[in-house]
Amino acid sequence: MKLVVVGLGQCGGRIADEFARLNRKAVSQRGIEIVIGVFAVNTDIADLSGLNRIKPDYEHRILIGGRKTGGHGVGKINELGAEVAKEDADKVIDAISTTKRLPEADAFLLIAGAAGGTGSGAIAIMTHYIKERFIDKPVYNLTVLPFKHEEETEERTIYNAATCLKSSYLVADAVILVDNQRYIRNDSSLLSNLSKINAIIVEPFYNLLCAGEEKKQKYIGAKVLDAGDIIQTLVGWTVVGHSTSRLSFLRFLFERTRDFRKKVAETQKGIQAMDEAVSRLSVHGNPGDSRRALYLVAAPAKEMNMELIKELGTHLKSLAPESIIRSGDYPRDTGALDVSVILSEFSDLSKIRNYFTKTISLISTIQKRQEGIEIDTAFDGTLKDIPSLL
Ligand SMILES: Nc1nc2c(ncn2[C@@H]2O[C@H](COP(=O)(O)OP(=O)(O)OP(=O)(O)O)[C@@H](O)[C@H]2O)c(=O)[nH]1
Ligand SMILES: [Mg+2]
């Protein structure tokens, strides 16, 4: 599957930069292309300059809202991010249109942090314009949810996330969710290392995008997972999961017997790997609430057989009984068993629902504050008896 990737705001730009790296890896290691154009869009000149792999010309690093923001960002006001995206959408569309071999792209992927200003405000607006201009291609959003400490310290965080997510859901073909907080679970040093988190965020996409582009016969699976399978799976709220387990090196080299015990062990290893991928979903969710699912197994050809793939399908069906499940195998020469999972069309995700309910109560508190009905400070009680001149 080939993507055109557009990163919006700082978070979006940096993750788009990671996709550019992923594509270079695919070209150098596998001789295939998975991303045919990468763009960063921002209101902040410094953020655009800080990127590494996206082409440094103004057609790939696109400054929007220069007149309104002076090139210094929108300071977390996502309404302003949305406004400048509307005003400068043409600039972005024109740049995308110059992509060589654009007709080969299977889909667009737009990326942003939900809690910021520029990306949060711009992602749904740009999705709308891109869909309008390139009507034959699906447009997906990859939306990054804030860390817990950001939610706790800044009211705007929740409000921005809720308004960004609602808007994305209304226009995008699917909203792939990634929760920053999930990536520091076992390693708190990651909190200060966003580039490491970004590398982990894009990991599940590597094999998923490569599998259908493979040209070499020995890497073509019995059941190839191609762009069509992925497009059919991605609908509405979506999460991804990934796990890699190393197969024992000696066993990998020498053990060629095909006895039944080995087969049982293989299946068990596969199920463990899938459980791990599901336990590491990019946002915590109940697989039972998804309506579409997909899994891809990448491993040495001799470690895989159709029975293993089928067993894994049965296992995923037991976790997500309401889901239509698609699958594929991807033979690789590495000593690893790699499982990628997509769960899509969620009917509920508590994390997202909480943003919406918290924002509704936040809005009513703000309204009351503005009307002077409720003043949440230590002066409350004394203040309301003082006449106001407003
Ligand atoms: N995973 C990840 N999250 C990031 C990164 N940079 C920022 N974020 C998250 O994104 C949110 C802030 O969004 P930014 O992208 O910095 O904001 P922006 O879109 O540039 O908007 P303004 O700076 O307000 O104009 C916060 O929740 C951050 O935790 C990054 O490189 N990786
Ligand atoms: Mg910024």
Side-chain angles (χ1 to χ4, degrees), residues 8-15 41-44 47 72-78 81 112-121 144-147 149-150 157 160 178-180 183 194-195 197-198 201:
L8 303 134
Q10 175 157 49
C11 175
R14 285 184 181 155
I15 297 175
V41 178
N42 210 329
T43 53
D44 191 317
D47 287 353
H72 296 303
V74 299
K76 306 271 175 263
I77 310 297
N78 69 351
T118 302
S120 171
V144 178
L145 308 179
F147 293 106
H149 73 87
E150 295 176 301
T157 302
N160 284 358
V178 164
D179 181 3
N180 266 342
Y183 298 85
L194 286 171
S195 59
I197 293 185
N198 295 344
I201 288 173

Short mmCIF file of all heavy atoms in Angstrom, two decimals, residues 8-15 41-44 47 72-78 81 112-121 144-147 149-150 157 160 178-180 183 194-195 197-198 201, ligand 1:
data_model
loop_
_atom_site.label_atom_id
_atom_site.label_comp_id
_atom_site.label_asym_id
_atom_site.label_seq_id
_atom_site.Cartn_x
_atom_site.Cartn_y
_atom_site.Cartn_z
N LEU A 8 0.57 17.60 10.34
CA LEU A 8 0.10 18.95 10.66
C LEU A 8 0.52 19.31 12.08
O LEU A 8 0.33 18.51 13.00
CB LEU A 8 -1.42 19.00 10.51
CG LEU A 8 -1.89 18.58 9.10
CD1 LEU A 8 -3.05 17.61 9.17
CD2 LEU A 8 -2.23 19.78 8.26
N GLY A 9 1.08 20.51 12.26
CA GLY A 9 1.57 20.90 13.58
C GLY A 9 2.86 20.17 13.90
O GLY A 9 3.37 19.39 13.09
N GLN A 10 3.36 20.41 15.11
CA GLN A 10 4.66 19.84 15.46
C GLN A 10 4.61 18.31 15.57
O GLN A 10 5.44 17.60 15.01
CB GLN A 10 5.14 20.42 16.79
CG GLN A 10 6.42 19.77 17.25
CD GLN A 10 7.20 20.64 18.21
OE1 GLN A 10 6.65 21.17 19.17
NE2 GLN A 10 8.47 20.80 17.95
N CYS A 11 3.62 17.82 16.31
CA CYS A 11 3.50 16.37 16.50
C CYS A 11 3.30 15.67 15.14
O CYS A 11 3.99 14.71 14.81
CB CYS A 11 2.30 16.12 17.42
SG CYS A 11 1.90 14.41 17.65
N GLY A 12 2.38 16.20 14.35
CA GLY A 12 2.11 15.60 13.04
C GLY A 12 3.33 15.62 12.13
O GLY A 12 3.65 14.64 11.47
N GLY A 13 4.04 16.75 12.14
CA GLY A 13 5.23 16.88 11.30
C GLY A 13 6.30 15.87 11.68
O GLY A 13 6.90 15.23 10.81
N ARG A 14 6.49 15.71 12.98
CA ARG A 14 7.54 14.78 13.42
C ARG A 14 7.19 13.34 13.08
O ARG A 14 8.06 12.54 12.71
CB ARG A 14 7.73 14.90 14.91
CG ARG A 14 8.46 16.16 15.33
CD ARG A 14 8.64 16.06 16.81
NE ARG A 14 9.30 17.20 17.38
CZ ARG A 14 9.13 17.54 18.66
NH1 ARG A 14 8.32 16.83 19.42
NH2 ARG A 14 9.78 18.56 19.14
N ILE A 15 5.92 12.98 13.22
CA ILE A 15 5.55 11.59 12.90
C ILE A 15 5.57 11.37 11.38
O ILE A 15 5.97 10.31 10.91
CB ILE A 15 4.20 11.21 13.56
CG1 ILE A 15 4.35 11.28 15.09
CG2 ILE A 15 3.75 9.82 13.14
CD1 ILE A 15 3.10 11.06 15.89
N VAL A 41 2.97 20.53 7.48
CA VAL A 41 2.25 21.79 7.42
C VAL A 41 2.23 22.37 8.83
O VAL A 41 1.85 21.68 9.78
CB VAL A 41 0.79 21.55 6.94
CG1 VAL A 41 0.00 22.86 6.91
CG2 VAL A 41 0.77 20.86 5.57
N ASN A 42 2.65 23.62 8.97
CA ASN A 42 2.67 24.19 10.32
C ASN A 42 2.55 25.70 10.27
O ASN A 42 2.79 26.34 9.24
CB ASN A 42 3.98 23.79 11.03
CG ASN A 42 3.82 23.68 12.54
OD1 ASN A 42 3.02 24.40 13.14
ND2 ASN A 42 4.58 22.80 13.15
N THR A 43 2.16 26.28 11.42
CA THR A 43 2.13 27.74 11.55
C THR A 43 3.43 28.23 12.18
O THR A 43 3.59 29.42 12.42
CB THR A 43 0.97 28.18 12.47
OG1 THR A 43 1.09 27.46 13.71
CG2 THR A 43 -0.38 27.86 11.84
N ASP A 44 4.31 27.27 12.47
CA ASP A 44 5.52 27.58 13.22
C ASP A 44 6.77 27.28 12.36
O ASP A 44 7.02 26.11 12.03
CB ASP A 44 5.51 26.71 14.49
CG ASP A 44 6.57 27.13 15.47
OD1 ASP A 44 7.71 27.39 15.03
OD2 ASP A 44 6.27 27.18 16.68
N ASP A 47 9.46 24.87 14.03
CA ASP A 47 9.10 23.44 14.01
C ASP A 47 9.37 22.82 12.65
O ASP A 47 9.82 21.69 12.55
CB ASP A 47 7.62 23.25 14.35
CG ASP A 47 7.34 23.49 15.82
OD1 ASP A 47 8.30 23.67 16.58
OD2 ASP A 47 6.16 23.50 16.20
N HIS A 72 4.80 31.83 14.44
CA HIS A 72 5.12 31.34 15.79
C HIS A 72 4.06 30.41 16.38
O HIS A 72 3.94 30.30 17.60
CB HIS A 72 5.33 32.54 16.73
CG HIS A 72 6.49 33.38 16.34
ND1 HIS A 72 7.78 32.86 16.24
CD2 HIS A 72 6.59 34.69 16.00
CE1 HIS A 72 8.59 33.83 15.86
NE2 HIS A 72 7.90 34.94 15.69
N GLY A 73 3.25 29.77 15.56
CA GLY A 73 2.26 28.84 16.09
C GLY A 73 0.99 29.55 16.53
O GLY A 73 0.91 30.79 16.47
N VAL A 74 -0.01 28.76 16.95
CA VAL A 74 -1.29 29.35 17.35
C VAL A 74 -1.53 29.24 18.86
O VAL A 74 -2.63 29.47 19.34
CB VAL A 74 -2.48 28.73 16.56
CG1 VAL A 74 -2.33 28.97 15.07
CG2 VAL A 74 -2.62 27.22 16.85
N GLY A 75 -0.47 28.86 19.61
CA GLY A 75 -0.57 28.83 21.07
C GLY A 75 -1.72 28.00 21.58
O GLY A 75 -2.46 28.42 22.47
N LYS A 76 -1.91 26.83 21.03
CA LYS A 76 -2.92 25.85 21.48
C LYS A 76 -4.37 26.26 21.23
O LYS A 76 -5.30 25.64 21.74
CB LYS A 76 -2.76 25.52 22.98
CG LYS A 76 -1.38 25.06 23.39
CD LYS A 76 -1.21 23.56 23.25
CE LYS A 76 0.21 23.12 23.53
NZ LYS A 76 1.03 22.94 22.32
N ILE A 77 -4.58 27.34 20.50
CA ILE A 77 -5.96 27.73 20.18
C ILE A 77 -6.35 27.02 18.89
O ILE A 77 -6.02 27.48 17.80
CB ILE A 77 -6.10 29.27 20.00
CG1 ILE A 77 -5.46 30.02 21.18
CG2 ILE A 77 -7.55 29.69 19.81
CD1 ILE A 77 -6.11 29.77 22.53
N ASN A 78 -7.04 25.89 19.00
CA ASN A 78 -7.25 25.10 17.78
C ASN A 78 -8.28 25.73 16.83
O ASN A 78 -8.27 25.45 15.64
CB ASN A 78 -7.53 23.62 18.09
CG ASN A 78 -8.86 23.34 18.74
OD1 ASN A 78 -9.56 24.27 19.14
ND2 ASN A 78 -9.21 22.08 18.86
N GLY A 81 -6.12 27.45 14.56
CA GLY A 81 -5.50 26.45 13.67
C GLY A 81 -6.45 26.09 12.53
O GLY A 81 -6.04 25.99 11.36
N ALA A 112 -1.82 14.39 13.28
CA ALA A 112 -1.74 15.56 14.16
C ALA A 112 -1.88 15.14 15.62
O ALA A 112 -2.44 14.09 15.92
CB ALA A 112 -2.84 16.56 13.82
N GLY A 113 -1.39 15.98 16.50
CA GLY A 113 -1.66 15.83 17.92
C GLY A 113 -3.01 16.47 18.20
O GLY A 113 -3.25 17.61 17.79
N ALA A 114 -3.89 15.76 18.93
CA ALA A 114 -5.26 16.26 19.16
C ALA A 114 -5.29 17.43 20.14
O ALA A 114 -6.22 18.23 20.13
CB ALA A 114 -6.14 15.13 19.70
N ALA A 115 -4.27 17.54 21.00
CA ALA A 115 -4.35 18.52 22.09
C ALA A 115 -3.65 19.84 21.79
O ALA A 115 -3.75 20.77 22.58
CB ALA A 115 -3.76 17.91 23.35
N GLY A 116 -2.96 19.93 20.66
CA GLY A 116 -2.25 21.16 20.33
C GLY A 116 -3.21 22.17 19.70
O GLY A 116 -4.43 22.08 19.88
N GLY A 117 -2.64 23.11 18.94
CA GLY A 117 -3.47 24.12 18.30
C GLY A 117 -3.51 23.95 16.79
O GLY A 117 -4.57 23.70 16.20
N THR A 118 -2.34 24.01 16.15
CA THR A 118 -2.29 23.97 14.69
C THR A 118 -2.80 22.64 14.13
O THR A 118 -3.75 22.61 13.35
CB THR A 118 -0.84 24.22 14.21
OG1 THR A 118 -0.40 25.48 14.71
CG2 THR A 118 -0.77 24.22 12.70
N GLY A 119 -2.17 21.56 14.54
CA GLY A 119 -2.54 20.24 14.02
C GLY A 119 -3.96 19.87 14.39
O GLY A 119 -4.75 19.41 13.56
N SER A 120 -4.31 20.10 15.64
CA SER A 120 -5.63 19.77 16.17
C SER A 120 -6.73 20.48 15.37
O SER A 120 -7.77 19.90 15.04
CB SER A 120 -5.70 20.16 17.65
OG SER A 120 -6.99 20.06 18.15
N GLY A 121 -6.49 21.76 15.06
CA GLY A 121 -7.48 22.54 14.34
C GLY A 121 -7.47 22.26 12.85
O GLY A 121 -8.50 22.31 12.18
N VAL A 144 -3.01 11.75 17.59
CA VAL A 144 -2.25 11.42 18.80
C VAL A 144 -2.92 12.06 20.02
O VAL A 144 -3.13 13.27 20.06
CB VAL A 144 -0.79 11.93 18.67
CG1 VAL A 144 0.00 11.64 19.93
CG2 VAL A 144 -0.12 11.28 17.45
N LEU A 145 -3.26 11.22 21.00
CA LEU A 145 -3.91 11.70 22.21
C LEU A 145 -2.86 12.11 23.23
O LEU A 145 -1.78 11.53 23.29
CB LEU A 145 -4.82 10.60 22.78
CG LEU A 145 -5.82 10.00 21.77
CD1 LEU A 145 -6.65 8.91 22.43
CD2 LEU A 145 -6.72 11.09 21.19
N PRO A 146 -3.18 13.12 24.06
CA PRO A 146 -2.17 13.69 24.95
C PRO A 146 -1.77 12.79 26.12
O PRO A 146 -2.49 11.85 26.48
CB PRO A 146 -2.88 14.95 25.48
CG PRO A 146 -4.33 14.67 25.35
CD PRO A 146 -4.48 13.81 24.14
N PHE A 147 -0.65 13.10 26.73
CA PHE A 147 -0.22 12.43 27.97
C PHE A 147 -1.19 12.81 29.10
O PHE A 147 -1.82 13.88 29.05
CB PHE A 147 1.19 12.91 28.37
CG PHE A 147 2.26 12.48 27.43
CD1 PHE A 147 2.84 13.39 26.55
CD2 PHE A 147 2.72 11.17 27.41
CE1 PHE A 147 3.85 13.00 25.68
CE2 PHE A 147 3.73 10.77 26.55
CZ PHE A 147 4.28 11.69 25.67
N HIS A 149 -0.47 13.79 32.08
CA HIS A 149 -0.10 15.03 32.79
C HIS A 149 -0.57 16.27 32.05
O HIS A 149 -0.88 17.29 32.66
CB HIS A 149 1.41 15.08 33.06
CG HIS A 149 2.25 15.35 31.84
ND1 HIS A 149 2.53 16.61 31.41
CD2 HIS A 149 2.82 14.52 30.95
CE1 HIS A 149 3.27 16.55 30.31
NE2 HIS A 149 3.45 15.29 30.01
N GLU A 150 -0.70 16.18 30.73
CA GLU A 150 -1.21 17.33 29.96
C GLU A 150 -2.71 17.51 30.22
O GLU A 150 -3.20 18.63 30.33
CB GLU A 150 -0.98 17.11 28.47
CG GLU A 150 0.48 17.07 28.08
CD GLU A 150 0.68 16.74 26.60
OE1 GLU A 150 0.23 15.66 26.16
OE2 GLU A 150 1.28 17.56 25.91
N THR A 157 -6.50 21.13 26.93
CA THR A 157 -6.08 19.84 26.38
C THR A 157 -7.28 18.97 26.02
O THR A 157 -7.39 18.45 24.92
CB THR A 157 -5.20 19.10 27.42
OG1 THR A 157 -4.09 19.93 27.73
CG2 THR A 157 -4.70 17.78 26.90
N ASN A 160 -9.55 20.68 23.30
CA ASN A 160 -8.97 20.54 21.95
C ASN A 160 -9.12 19.12 21.44
O ASN A 160 -9.48 18.89 20.28
CB ASN A 160 -7.48 20.90 21.97
CG ASN A 160 -7.23 22.39 22.04
OD1 ASN A 160 -8.16 23.18 22.03
ND2 ASN A 160 -5.98 22.78 22.12
N VAL A 178 -3.89 7.02 18.60
CA VAL A 178 -2.67 6.63 19.26
C VAL A 178 -2.59 7.44 20.57
O VAL A 178 -2.69 8.66 20.54
CB VAL A 178 -1.45 7.00 18.36
CG1 VAL A 178 -0.19 6.98 19.15
CG2 VAL A 178 -1.37 6.06 17.17
N ASP A 179 -2.47 6.76 21.70
CA ASP A 179 -2.47 7.43 23.00
C ASP A 179 -1.02 7.53 23.51
O ASP A 179 -0.41 6.52 23.85
CB ASP A 179 -3.33 6.61 23.97
CG ASP A 179 -3.41 7.23 25.35
OD1 ASP A 179 -2.84 8.33 25.55
OD2 ASP A 179 -4.05 6.62 26.23
N ASN A 180 -0.50 8.75 23.55
CA ASN A 180 0.88 8.94 24.02
C ASN A 180 1.15 8.23 25.34
O ASN A 180 2.21 7.64 25.54
CB ASN A 180 1.16 10.45 24.22
CG ASN A 180 1.79 11.08 22.99
OD1 ASN A 180 2.32 10.38 22.12
ND2 ASN A 180 1.73 12.40 22.91
N TYR A 183 2.63 4.68 25.68
CA TYR A 183 4.01 4.37 25.30
C TYR A 183 5.03 4.60 26.41
O TYR A 183 6.21 4.32 26.23
CB TYR A 183 4.39 5.17 24.04
CG TYR A 183 3.52 4.78 22.88
CD1 TYR A 183 2.28 5.38 22.69
CD2 TYR A 183 3.88 3.75 22.03
CE1 TYR A 183 1.45 4.98 21.67
CE2 TYR A 183 3.05 3.35 21.00
CZ TYR A 183 1.84 3.97 20.83
OH TYR A 183 1.01 3.58 19.82
N LEU A 194 10.35 12.02 22.81
CA LEU A 194 9.26 11.89 21.87
C LEU A 194 9.69 11.18 20.59
O LEU A 194 8.90 10.48 19.97
CB LEU A 194 8.69 13.27 21.54
CG LEU A 194 7.84 13.89 22.65
CD1 LEU A 194 7.49 15.33 22.32
CD2 LEU A 194 6.56 13.09 22.88
N SER A 195 10.95 11.35 20.19
CA SER A 195 11.33 10.73 18.92
C SER A 195 11.33 9.20 19.04
O SER A 195 11.00 8.50 18.09
CB SER A 195 12.67 11.25 18.41
OG SER A 195 13.66 11.02 19.34
N ILE A 197 9.22 7.56 21.00
CA ILE A 197 7.80 7.22 20.94
C ILE A 197 7.32 7.23 19.48
O ILE A 197 6.61 6.34 19.04
CB ILE A 197 6.95 8.21 21.79
CG1 ILE A 197 7.28 8.01 23.27
CG2 ILE A 197 5.46 8.02 21.54
CD1 ILE A 197 6.44 8.82 24.22
N ASN A 198 7.75 8.23 18.74
CA ASN A 198 7.33 8.33 17.34
C ASN A 198 7.77 7.10 16.54
O ASN A 198 7.03 6.61 15.69
CB ASN A 198 7.87 9.60 16.69
CG ASN A 198 7.28 10.84 17.34
OD1 ASN A 198 6.28 10.77 18.05
ND2 ASN A 198 7.88 11.99 17.10
N ILE A 201 5.42 4.39 17.42
CA ILE A 201 4.08 4.62 16.84
C ILE A 201 4.00 4.11 15.40
O ILE A 201 3.00 3.51 15.00
CB ILE A 201 3.72 6.14 16.90
CG1 ILE A 201 3.43 6.54 18.35
CG2 ILE A 201 2.53 6.47 16.00
CD1 ILE A 201 3.22 8.04 18.57
N1 LIG B 1 3.92 11.28 20.09
C1 LIG B 1 4.23 12.59 19.99
N2 LIG B 1 3.42 13.51 20.53
C2 LIG B 1 3.77 14.81 20.39
C3 LIG B 1 4.93 15.23 19.70
N3 LIG B 1 5.00 16.58 19.74
C4 LIG B 1 3.91 17.00 20.43
N4 LIG B 1 3.16 15.92 20.81
C5 LIG B 1 1.86 15.96 21.51
O1 LIG B 1 1.01 16.80 20.75
C6 LIG B 1 0.28 17.71 21.58
C7 LIG B 1 0.67 19.12 21.25
O2 LIG B 1 0.55 19.33 19.90
P1 LIG B 1 1.64 20.04 18.99
O3 LIG B 1 1.77 19.24 17.76
O4 LIG B 1 2.87 20.35 19.77
O5 LIG B 1 0.88 21.40 18.68
P2 LIG B 1 0.77 22.16 17.29
O6 LIG B 1 -0.14 21.43 16.40
O7 LIG B 1 2.15 22.43 16.77
O8 LIG B 1 0.02 23.50 17.68
P3 LIG B 1 0.58 24.89 18.30
O9 LIG B 1 2.00 24.66 18.76
O10 LIG B 1 -0.37 25.23 19.41
O11 LIG B 1 0.51 25.87 17.18
C8 LIG B 1 0.62 17.30 22.99
O12 LIG B 1 -0.37 16.41 23.46
C9 LIG B 1 1.96 16.59 22.87
O13 LIG B 1 2.15 15.61 23.86
C10 LIG B 1 5.75 14.21 19.12
O14 LIG B 1 6.78 14.46 18.48
N5 LIG B 1 5.34 12.93 19.28
#
